[in-house]
Amino acid sequence: MSVDLSLDFFSLFGLPYRFNLDETALDRAWHALQTEVHPDRTAHLPNSRGAMAGALRVNEAYAALKKPVTRAQYLLELTGMSLDAINGNTVAPEYLMEQLEWREAVEEARRVNDVDALEQLALRLQIRTDGVIAQLAEELDGQRDLEAAADTVRRLMFLDKLRLGIDDALAALDN
């Protein structure tokens, strides 16, 4: 196996250190690496466990870079900012209030079995998430404002968690 699995995720895929990345290039690089490190290619060799580890590393890297929130977290970690620092800082009171309002709206829609309200919340949430992702791209790629980006990552993490809550509520109502 000629893949250097000790490389950081961006280098492993031959991608620039940017939040905004070419997802097609990421997908192509992942497929190429998967072909090279797939355990079936080396199953006949005495040390085939290394191939399994290689496949796991490539999949871990792909999963981290594929989603905006984990890609941003990884970029911040590469700059030396720990995930604990990203998660540990508090957010502004007005943002906490917004979180509370979102959660209450989801719980109310779930309580009264209002699928339309949940779908509207999901739509509003997607628009909000798109805006936060655009802001994060500017902070990471444009301004290189890591402190602001860390705050924005916390906001994006909340929005991702909220999306899961809406999806769970919709799934529960479907059953």
Side-chain angles (χ1 to χ4, degrees):
M1 180 168 38
S2 64
V3 176
D4 184 355
L5 298 172
S6 67
L7 294 172
D8 66 77
F9 296 164
F10 288 93
S11 297
L12 183 65
F13 290 116
L15 298 171
Y17 293 87
R18 294 187 48 81
F19 178 74
N20 274 332
L21 56 77
D22 181 343
E23 290 191 31
T24 303
L26 173 63
D27 291 342
R28 268 194 311 253
W30 176 72
H31 284 290
L33 283 173
Q34 275 296 56
T35 300
E36 194 166 338
V37 300
H38 197 278
D40 288 349
R41 286 183 47 113
T42 58
H44 63 287
L45 299 175
N47 188 9
S48 61
R49 283 189 182 166
M52 181 61 82
L56 289 173
R57 173 77 173 165
V58 168
N59 285 335
E60 173 191 20
Y62 180 74
L65 297 183
K66 188 70 176 169
K67 290 180 60 184
V69 69
T70 53
R71 182 170 58 249
Q73 289 171 326
Y74 188 70
L75 274 168
L76 289 171
E77 287 175 22
L78 287 176
T79 68
M81 186 174 288
S82 74
L83 191 56
D84 291 337
I86 296 167
N87 290 331
N89 294 338
T90 58
V91 294
E94 57 273 3
Y95 189 69
L96 293 174
M97 196 61 173
E98 180 185 4
Q99 289 180 19
L100 182 60
E101 289 169 4
W102 276 102
R103 286 184 180 141
E104 287 174 350
V106 171
E107 285 309 310
E108 176 61 20
R110 185 178 197 160
R111 187 181 64 73
V112 297
N113 299 325
D114 190 342
V115 172
D116 289 336
L118 287 168
E119 288 173 347
Q120 285 300 312
L121 285 168
L123 181 61
R124 284 184 36 226
L125 179 63
Q126 187 58 55
I127 293 167
R128 177 79 168 106
T129 300
D130 291 346
V132 170
I133 289 171
Q135 176 183 350
L136 188 54
E138 176 57 29
E139 290 166 350
L140 286 170
D141 294 344
Q143 302 166 357
R144 300 288 302 153
D145 186 343
L146 303 181
E147 291 298 322
D151 183 58
T152 304
V153 167
R154 282 190 294 280
R155 293 171 190 251
L156 189 56
M157 290 168 65
F158 167 75
L159 296 174
D160 277 358
K161 191 173 184 180
L162 182 61
R163 178 62 203 195
L164 290 174
I166 292 172
D167 290 347
D168 289 347
L170 285 167
L173 293 178
D174 281 345
N175 293 331

